[in-house]
Each structure stands twice: as C-alpha cells, then as structure tokens.
C-alpha cells in the first residue's frame, strides 16, 4: 500500500468516528461543553508587537467611571445645585408571574431581592436621615410590605420572607397606594418612588393618566428600572415626574442602575419646603447602667442612648424616640451627608509628557499612594491631576477619591493661604 | 509553673537583658541566615503631618530601604531620621507665618487621606495582602476647619475596615481622634506619663489585629457625639436642623444663614452653600 492510500484509509476511519461522536453529543465534545459558557480566550488581545496579553481593564473602568462622573456633574450644573438630603423613598417590587422568568439567573425575582438588599444598605449609608418603605405588587393588587423606617435590617428581613410570584402586575394600584402613603410625610422631605418592573403589561382599574397627574401634583419623583423591555407608559411617567427610566440588560447592569439611585438626586427647589427640623443629640448611657429599652422592651445593661427630652433609652441611632417622637441622631450621621453638599471637582486627565525630565522626576509617583506613574518600559502611563493643587494621581486613586474618600489629599495637605479662617465665626 | 512575681519595692521601669547567640558555626549551618534573623516581615510606612504640608517619610517595603547597609539595624532608623529632617526643612520653607495665641493645628486630614490611598494600593496588590491599620501620633489640637475632611476620611476607613488607633500627646482632649477610633474600631489612648511613651506604644499599639481579641486594651470612655450649634458654638442636646443644608441651630430662625433658604415657604431661588461657609462647620466640644 502506498502512503496516500494508507492515509486515505486512516482519514476515512477518523471521519466515521467523528460522525458518530457528533451525532451523540450534539456537535460538542465533552471537554468543549465546559467552555461553552466561559470563553476566556475572548479576554485576550494582541498588542503592537504581536504578543497576546489580557485586555487592559483598568483603563476601561476608568473611562467608564469618568463618563459617570461627567453625566452626574452635567445634571448638577443644569438643575439646581441643591440635593434632596432628606428623602422618603418607596421601592415598588413587581411580583407578577413575569418576575419568575429565568433570563436573569437564577430568576428575576432572586436577582431583584439580592440587589434590593444591597441597595437598602448603601442607601442608609449615604442618606442616614432618610427613610425607605417597601411595596409589592402581586395578582394585580399592591400591598405595603414595610412602613417608612430607618432601620435596614427590618426591611431586609421582611423582603426575604415574601418572595412568591404570581398573577398580573398593576402600575396604577402601586402608584395610588404610594401616593396615599407619601401624603402623610412632612413637607420638607423629598418624595420618591423607585419601581422595579419585570412585566410587559399593566392591569389597571381606571385611567392611569389621572394617577400620573395626581403624582405630579403631589410632587413625587417616580423612577422606573425595567427588566424586560422599554414601555411607553413607564417612560411617560418618568418624564412627567422628573425621574429616570432605564432598562437593565443583565445582572451587573441592573446592579449598576439601581446603585445610581443611592446618592441624593439633584433636588428641584420647589418640590420641598425648607424647614427647621427639631432633632435631639443623645449621649451614650453610662457604662453599667441598667434600664429597659423602649424599642425591644427588654432589660439592657450599659449600651444605648438616652433621649434628651424624655430620658427614654434607645438602642441604636438614628431613630425616632418611641415615647416623645423626637428624631434622634448623632453628629457623624449629619457628617455623612456633608460630602454631597461639598463635592470635589473631577480631576483632569494629563497628556503623558516626558517623565524622564529631571524637573518632573518628583512627579513621577502618584501623590496619594506613591505608585510609580510610569507603565512598563519606562513609558509614561495614563494619570490625572487635581485642578486646584496640581498634584498628580494614578487612575485607581482617582476612582477611590471620588467614589469613597471625597477628599483630595493634595488640597488637604496644603495650608490654606488665609489664616483668619480658623478664628472666624 | 507560676511566673515569677515582681518585687514590690523596685522601680516601675523594667530592664530586659537579651542574650544573642552569635556562634558562627551554628549560623553557617542553619537554614535561617543571620541577616534575616534581625529583620522582620511586618511593613511600616511613615507619613509626616506637618504644619504646611504632608509627605511620605519612610517605606519599609521599597527596595532602597531593604539593603541593610553593613547588616546593622540602625541603618533603618538612619534613613527615617534623615528623611524626617529633610521634610522638616522643606516644611519650614513653605510658609513662615507664626500663629498668634494658641497652638495651631497640623494637617491631619491630608495625611489621613494619603494613608488611605496607600492602603487601597495595598488592597489591590493581591489576595494575600498585609492587614493594614493606621496609628496617629498626634499632639496638636483639633482644627475646626478640617472637620468635614476628617469625617470623610473616617467613614471611608470604616467602609474599608481599617482601624484608626490614636495616641494623643497634647494637653486637652482631641474629640476628632476619639471619634475616629470609636467609629473605626481602633484604640484611643492619652498616655499619663510621656517618659514611658515607648512602653505605651509597644504594649497598646504594637499588637496586631488578631491578638486584640484576647488583650485588655483601653476601652472608649465618654465619647461625646453631641453637636455644636453654628451660631454660638455651644454643645447642644436638642437643636434645629435646616432641611436643605443640615446646619445646626440652637433656636428657631426665619432664614438659614448658611444656605439662605427661607423657612416655611416654598423657595423659588436659594443660593448654594458656598465654599467659605464650609469653614464655619465646627466640631464637638
């Protein structure tokens, strides 16, 4: 037999084997099936010399973050600079049969519940004086799950207990209920509704346009996050009341969209009447003092705070005193909101000049973390500079400073030029 | 076997005599080399809080400092002292004005912010990163104009779970440092006798975070979270808060002096809280 004949025989045999395998496995080998979902090769790209390297995510995240910052500052300059710091927010969760769909894994309902829990914690972290309430829509009827309150644990516990989905969804019933509940809050608070809508239809008993008009007159800001597709009625509702409408593409996008509602939105000045709110600043109860706390009705030793007006004992702050109704806060709670009022300016991107210049040698490290600003091969990488103090920072410090720290280390490390500031007031 | 009791009539100062084995026959055959014996795995970064500026003074993990010179420990201290002296000279050059009256405050908010940025970099360095914490050695009094910046830094440290310990060496009490340590879960202490400062530092602040679970460290006593009113700077129990800018007042007013909102009517035009008013925010007593 010649080589070609032998090869032909072998080739045919291989083809026959492959045909059998293909028919059994539906076109995929066993080892291939484990890679069907996880395509790690897509995270690689070629650089200029032809070598493979992972996609540079840091520059991508930084570009994303800068876009977010720009959008936020754009909105702030066009609207009033004031932000609504005392917010009363209702979260409406759609528990109709569309929420049981599995296009978000494991189901839309599970993803919504998990993100609402994270959102509630983040919300109270950024807005300690605000309150949240939960409303569910199931079988065409809207029910109030929890009343407006300032304790994250009670909301999360209530939410995790009631996660069954069935029936239709009703936008009008939810809005009617929320509007009735929000009419009872004080006039200095900002009223908001966040609707997490999975369904593509709504089953309403009357004219929803009237309800939307009533919401507009009550100055309630309604926002919707859709999980399936864009709907005209949601868009109209949000446009009329001044809220924002967005549709989530997948789980991580949904998380991003819901977290955008945690910082206070730019307040429209006419919506809330400015007022002086009477608040108490309780002191810690003395170590070893024994008393019955007014929230749990149990005997507690040592820990706790004493209401300055009626001397009742409360366990945690911020809260409303159960006996006399005084709102009790501590000064760090107020301080948590100050960075919303005094934001720092976004840093400017700096075109990479020659950093090997001896004049610039001191500037080749990030001022915050002392990381070298030169990328591999001694080439200058991407970095930013503060417009006020002109110090250089790396990209990660930029994101950390604007998202979490809210202080520019460079500006804080400079003595202010006018010394009379310290003695003013 | 019970530990030896201390003699009642000897001084409070201790003496420890360390007997160090330098037998070259052992060290040449041991797997641990002698120079490694004298170094340590913990990392230390020192940031100087000056009057006009703040800067990094020493970093134990940078490659320049790891070469131990002649293999002698003092080279680490020498680098630190030299950098400190350079920093003090530079700081003096930056501004010559002397404050009149009381002792001026230092730029604590700047160095806290720099420390937190460095710690974020450590977090990014991989899964097995060292456990960071911050120790403030502070003697200057609190500066009221730094209140907002220091609170921002404290909340950011609380979120990243970085304890802030503070050792206050000045005359009065520092409300900022007490709050910082309380909120972040660190230790605050004001040493009674400054001669024994090294002992305080070693026993209270030198221990790592795991060991703190079974050590009796100074507990926070009397942290005052009450606020001061903006009009008189008195500490108040009950006050009135402007719903727009959260300024604190002790009595009812018609108009907020910080943001200009008129109370009780729907406002049509109000000014934004300007940057100069920020400096009037005060601390707790």
């Amino acid at each position: 037999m010649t080589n070609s004949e032998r090869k032909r025989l072998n080739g045919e045999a291989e083809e026959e084997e492959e045909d059998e395998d293909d028919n059994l496995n539906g076109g995929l080998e066993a080892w291939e099936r484990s890679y069907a979902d996880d395509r790690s090769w897509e995270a690689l790209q070629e650089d200029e010399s032809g070598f493979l390297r992972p996609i540079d995510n840091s520059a991508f995240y930084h570009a994303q973050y800068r876009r977010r910052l720009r959008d936020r500052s754009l909105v702030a300059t066009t609207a009033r600079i004031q932000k609504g710091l005392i917010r009363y927010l209702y979260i409406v969760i759609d528990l109709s049969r569309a929420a049981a769909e599995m296009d978000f894994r494991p189901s839309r309902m599970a993803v919504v519940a998990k993100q609402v829990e994270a959102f509630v914690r983040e919300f109270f972290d950024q807005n300690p004086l605000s309150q949240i309430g939960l409303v569910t829509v199931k079988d065409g009827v809207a029910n109030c799950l929890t009343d407006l309150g300032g304790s994250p644990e009670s909301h999360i516990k209530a939410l995790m207990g009631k996660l069954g989905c069935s029936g239709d969804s009703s936008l009008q019933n939810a809005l009617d209920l929320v509007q009735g509940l929000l009419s009872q809050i004080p006039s200095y608070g900002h009223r908001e509704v966040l609707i997490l809508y999975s369904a593509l239809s709504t089953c309403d008993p009357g004219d929803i346009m009237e309800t939307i008009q009533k919401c507009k007159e009550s100055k309630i800001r309604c926002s919707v996050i859709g999980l399936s597709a864009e709907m005209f009625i949601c868009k109209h509702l949000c446009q009329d009341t001044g809220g924002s409408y967005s549709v989530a593409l997948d789980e991580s996008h949904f998380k991003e969209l819901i977290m955008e509602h945690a910082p206070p939105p730019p307040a429209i000045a006419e919506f809330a009447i400015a007022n002086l709110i009477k608040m108490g600043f309780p002191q810690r109860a003395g170590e070893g003092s024994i008393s019955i706390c007014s929230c749990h009705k149990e005997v507690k030793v040592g820990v706790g705070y004493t209401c300055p007006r009626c001397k009742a004992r409360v366990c945690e702050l911020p809260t409303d005193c159960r006996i006399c109704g005084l709102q009790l806060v501590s000064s760090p709670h107020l301080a948590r909101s100050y960075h919303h009022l005094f934001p720092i300016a976004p840093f400017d991107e700096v075109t990479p000049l020659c950093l090997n210049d001896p004049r610039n040698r001191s500037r080749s490290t990030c001022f915050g973390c002392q990381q070298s600003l030169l990328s591999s091969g001694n080439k200058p990488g991407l970095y930013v500079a503060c417009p006020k103090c002109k110090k250089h920072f790396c990209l990660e410090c930029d994101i950390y400073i604007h998202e979490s720290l809210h202080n520019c280390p460079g500006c804080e490390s400079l003595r202010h030029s006018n010394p009379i500031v310290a003695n003013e007031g | 076997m019970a530990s030896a009791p201390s003699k009642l009539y000897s001084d409070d100062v201790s003496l420890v005599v360390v007997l160090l084995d330098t037998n070259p026959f052992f060290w040449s055959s041991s797997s641990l080399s002698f120079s490694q014996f004298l170094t340590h795995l913990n990392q230390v970064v020192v940031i100087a809080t000056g009057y006009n500026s703040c800067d990094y003074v020493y970093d134990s993990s940078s490659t320049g400092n790891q070469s131990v010179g002649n293999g002698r420990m003092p080279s680490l201290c020498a680098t630190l002292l030299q950098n400190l002296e350079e920093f003090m000279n530079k700081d003096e050059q930056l501004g010559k004005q002397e404050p009149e009256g009381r002792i001026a405050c230092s730029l604590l908010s700047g160095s806290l912010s720099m420390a937190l940025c460095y710690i974020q970099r450590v977090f990014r360095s991989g899964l097995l990163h060292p456990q960071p914490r911050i120790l403030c050695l502070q003697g200057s009094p609190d500066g009221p104009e730094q209140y907002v910046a220091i609170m921002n830094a404290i909340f950011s440290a609380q979120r990243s779970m970085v304890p802030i310990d503070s050792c206050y060496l000045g005359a009065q009490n520092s409300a900022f440092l007490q709050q910082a340590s309380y909120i972040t879960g660190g230790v605050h202490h004001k040493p009674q006798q400054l001669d024994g400062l090294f002992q305080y530092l070693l026993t209270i602040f030198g221990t790592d975070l795991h060991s703190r679970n079974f050590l009796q460290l100074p507990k926070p006593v009397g942290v005052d979270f009450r606020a001061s009113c903006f009009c008189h700077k008195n500490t108040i129990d009950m006050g009135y808060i402007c719903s727009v800018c959260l300024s604190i007042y002790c009595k009812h007013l018609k108009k907020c002096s910080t943001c200009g909102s008129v109370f009780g009517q729907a406002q049509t035009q109000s000014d934004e809280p300007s940057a100069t008013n920020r400096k009037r925010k005060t601390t707790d007593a």
Side-chain angles (χ1 to χ4, degrees):
Chain A
M1 251 197 278
T2 60
N3 273 349
S4 52
E5 280 172 348
R6 210 176 293 128
K7 270 197 215 144
R8 223 182 310 126
L9 270 178
N10 288 341
E12 278 171 3
E14 280 170 1
E15 278 171 12
E16 279 170 11
E17 278 174 0
E18 278 176 9
D19 283 340
E20 281 174 9
D21 275 331
D22 280 346
N23 290 336
L24 281 177
N25 298 332
L28 282 179
E29 301 279 334
W31 59 270
E32 276 181 332
R33 268 179 264 136
S34 65
Y35 285 95
D37 291 324
D38 171 27
R39 293 163 188 226
S40 49
W41 58 88
E42 286 182 1
L44 297 173
Q45 69 184 50
E46 257 187 58
D47 68 0
E48 53 269 5
S49 40
F51 291 114
L52 282 177
R53 61 177 172 79
I55 293 181
D56 185 8
N57 277 327
S58 67
F60 173 67
Y61 285 140
H62 190 249
Q64 223 178 23
Y65 141 77
R66 285 194 71 80
R67 214 180 318 126
R68 261 205 317 262
L69 203 63
R70 222 183 356 243
D71 293 341
R72 228 186 286 163
S73 56
L74 206 63
V75 172
T77 46
T78 52
R80 304 273 178 183
I81 313 277
Q82 284 174 24
K83 301 237 176 117
L85 291 176
I86 305 192
R87 304 162 71 186
Y88 292 87
L89 172 71
Y90 266 105
I91 305 181
V92 175
I93 303 178
D94 177 11
L95 287 177
S96 61
R97 71 177 88 90
E101 294 274 334
M102 314 261 231
D103 57 351
F104 285 1
R105 291 191 213 100
S107 73
R108 285 183 188 171
M109 191 54 246
V111 171
V112 165
K114 191 166 125 198
Q115 297 307 331
V116 164
E117 177 185 346
F119 171 75
V120 164
R121 291 192 201 280
E122 177 74 18
F123 181 84
F124 282 118
D125 195 48
Q126 296 211 19
N127 308 278
L129 298 176
S130 309
Q131 295 185 354
I132 280 189
L134 294 176
V135 166
T136 55
V137 181
K138 195 168 155 183
D139 294 322
V141 176
N143 297 315
C144 178
L145 194 60
T146 56
D147 286 322
L148 282 173
S151 154
E153 296 304 320
S154 58
H155 295 304
I156 292 171
K157 218 162 59 155
L159 177 64
M160 291 309 168
K162 300 269 181 68
L163 288 182
C165 313
S166 67
D168 295 319
S169 156
S170 171
L171 202 53
Q172 184 181 6
N173 284 341
L175 286 174
D176 273 335
L177 179 65
V178 168
Q179 198 240 335
L181 291 169
L182 281 177
S183 59
Q184 300 164 10
I185 64 157
S187 58
Y188 53 76
H190 288 264
R191 299 155 200 213
E192 298 178 36
V193 179
L194 177 63
I195 305 177
L196 304 174
Y197 212 63
S198 318
L200 280 173
S201 60
T202 169
C203 202
D204 298 331
D207 185 6
I208 192 172
M209 295 303 185
E210 272 179 30
T211 311
I212 295 182
Q213 189 59 27
K214 265 200 298 187
C215 284
K216 195 170 158 184
E217 278 159 19
S218 315
K219 305 204 172 67
I220 302 178
R221 181 180 184 263
C222 306
S223 304
V224 179
I225 300 181
L227 278 91
S228 41
E230 188 183 10
M231 286 169 63
F232 169 74
I233 190 66
C234 296
K235 192 164 160 184
H236 181 250
L237 167 68
C238 295
Q239 267 175 353
D240 258 6
T241 54
S244 71
Y245 180 41
S246 41
V247 176
L249 297 172
D250 55 25
E251 293 94 343
S252 49
H253 190 220
F254 177 67
K255 181 174 173 184
E256 227 182 84
L257 290 174
I258 198 175
M259 286 304 173
E260 271 176 18
H261 286 92
I268 302 166
E270 297 85 41
F271 273 22
I273 301 175
N275 226 324
L276 279 178
I277 314 164
K278 191 164 173 119
M279 290 196 191
F281 298 97
Q283 282 198 301
R284 287 195 67 137
E287 297 287 327
S289 64
I290 305 177
S291 57
I292 301 180
C293 75
S294 55
C295 27
H296 305 107
K297 313 284 191 295
E298 288 169 4
V299 179
K300 295 271 167 87
V301 183
V303 289
Y305 302 89
T306 317
C307 171
R309 189 152 71 177
C310 66
K311 309 286 185 269
R313 170 83 151 257
V314 292
C315 292
E316 54 175 21
L317 295 181
T319 188
D320 290 336
C321 175
R322 293 232 180 168
I323 312 292
C324 65
L326 183 63
Q327 208 169 347
L328 301 173
V329 293
S330 66
S331 52
H333 290 126
L334 295 178
R336 265 186 212 277
S337 304
Y338 287 154
H339 72 87
H340 294 304
L341 297 169
F342 308 115
I344 50 173
F347 291 168
D348 307 319
E349 278 184 13
V350 177
T351 52
L353 301 169
C354 177
L355 281 175
N356 289 329
D357 189 358
R359 269 178 321 171
N360 285 331
R361 196 170 292 278
S362 63
R363 297 229 164 162
S364 64
T365 53
C366 165
F367 184 75
C369 64
Q370 299 287 294
Q371 194 173 31
S372 168
L373 291 174
L374 307 167
S375 59
S376 56
N378 251 359
K379 280 190 318 213
L382 205 58
Y383 60 95
V384 291
C386 170
K388 291 204 191 119
C389 61
K390 311 276 188 276
K391 297 272 197 257
H392 296 196
F393 294 97
C394 61
L395 299 187
E396 288 92 0
C397 278
D398 186 17
I399 296 180
Y400 174 65
I401 287 171
H402 283 96
E403 305 263 292
S404 182
L405 185 56
H406 306 290
N407 283 342
C408 167
C411 299
E412 295 298 325
S413 305
L414 287 177
R415 168 72 50 178
H416 296 290
S417 51
N418 42 344
I420 53 172
V421 167
N423 298 327
E424 200 180 70
Chain B
M1 186 128 172
S3 55
S6 54
K7 290 207 259 185
L8 286 172
Y9 50 85
S10 61
D11 199 1
D12 211 3
V13 178
S14 305
L15 165 69
V16 172
V17 183
V18 176
L19 309 177
L20 184 62
D21 183 3
T22 55
N23 182 5
F25 298 105
F26 165 68
W27 287 110
S28 58
S29 61
S30 144
S31 54
L32 178 70
S33 76
F34 194 64
S35 56
Q36 273 181 342
F37 180 51
L38 290 181
T39 56
H40 46 79
L41 287 176
N42 291 336
Q43 293 180 19
V44 170
V45 174
V46 180
I47 300 177
T49 312
Y51 179 70
N52 288 312
S53 62
C54 302
D55 204 5
Y56 283 86
V57 161
Y58 176 70
D59 184 354
S60 69
S61 58
S62 66
T63 47
N65 285 320
Q66 264 169 8
S67 60
V68 257
N70 301 331
R72 294 199 307 239
M73 278 291 277
S75 77
L76 294 159
C77 308
T79 326
L80 170 61
L81 291 174
Q82 191 186 357
N83 288 348
L84 202 54
E85 197 176 323
E86 279 175 20
F87 171 76
M88 294 305 295
N89 289 335
K90 250 192 327 190
D91 197 44
E92 201 183 340
Q93 299 297 324
L94 282 175
K96 296 277 186 165
Q97 58 204 142
E98 298 266 330
E100 62 275 349
R102 55 190 177 84
I103 307 175
C105 59
S106 57
L107 296 171
L108 180 62
S109 53
S111 47
L112 259 182
S113 308
M114 289 168 75
L116 286 168
C117 286
Y118 187 88
I119 289 178
Q120 289 300 309
R121 177 184 160 197
V122 166
F123 282 154
R124 290 195 297 266
S125 69
L127 279 177
L128 275 184
H129 54 77
Q131 219 176 11
R133 65 182 193 271
I134 299 180
L135 169 62
C136 290
L137 288 171
Q138 184 85 353
S140 325
D142 299 331
E145 68 271 10
Q146 296 179 358
Y147 178 64
V148 179
I150 291 189
M151 294 310 282
N152 284 340
I154 293 174
F155 294 134
S156 184
Q158 186 193 27
R159 261 179 117 157
S160 327
M161 294 196 285
V162 173
I164 300 183
D165 301 326
S166 47
C167 181
Y168 187 63
L169 308 165
Q172 310 293 338
N173 264 322
S174 166
F176 287 171
L177 290 178
Q178 276 181 340
Q179 282 194 28
S181 299
Y182 180 74
I183 292 175
T184 55
V187 176
H188 173 85
H189 192 62
K190 185 162 179 267
Q192 299 298 320
Q193 287 182 311
L194 290 181
D195 296 334
L197 182 63
F198 178 66
Q199 181 141 350
Y200 285 109
L201 291 178
L202 200 59
T203 50
I204 303 177
F205 301 106
T207 52
D208 65 310
L209 295 178
H210 287 304
S211 315
R212 291 189 182 188
N213 294 331
F214 35 82
L215 285 175
Q216 290 271 39
L217 296 170
K219 291 219 180 8
V221 283
V223 185
D224 194 357
F225 281 124
R226 290 180 302 177
S228 311
C229 67
F230 284 19
C231 29
H232 309 109
K233 312 275 183 288
N234 301 329
T235 319
I236 47 173
D237 270 342
M238 278 193 289
Y240 296 91
I241 314 272
C242 167
S243 60
V244 173
C245 63
L246 300 187
S247 323
I248 307 169
Y249 300 104
C250 49
K251 53 186 192 343
H252 223 276
L253 294 176
K254 291 233 171 45
K255 194 169 117 134
C256 174
S257 51
T258 322
C259 65
S261 335
V262 181
F263 297 127
Q265 345 165 334
Q267 73 251 48
T268 46
Q269 258 183 11
S270 22
D271 315 317
E272 55 179 281
S274 50
T276 52
N277 287 324
R278 166 190 195 163
K279 303 195 173 89
R280 292 163 64 180
K281 296 221 183 285
T282 58
T283 108
D284 304 339

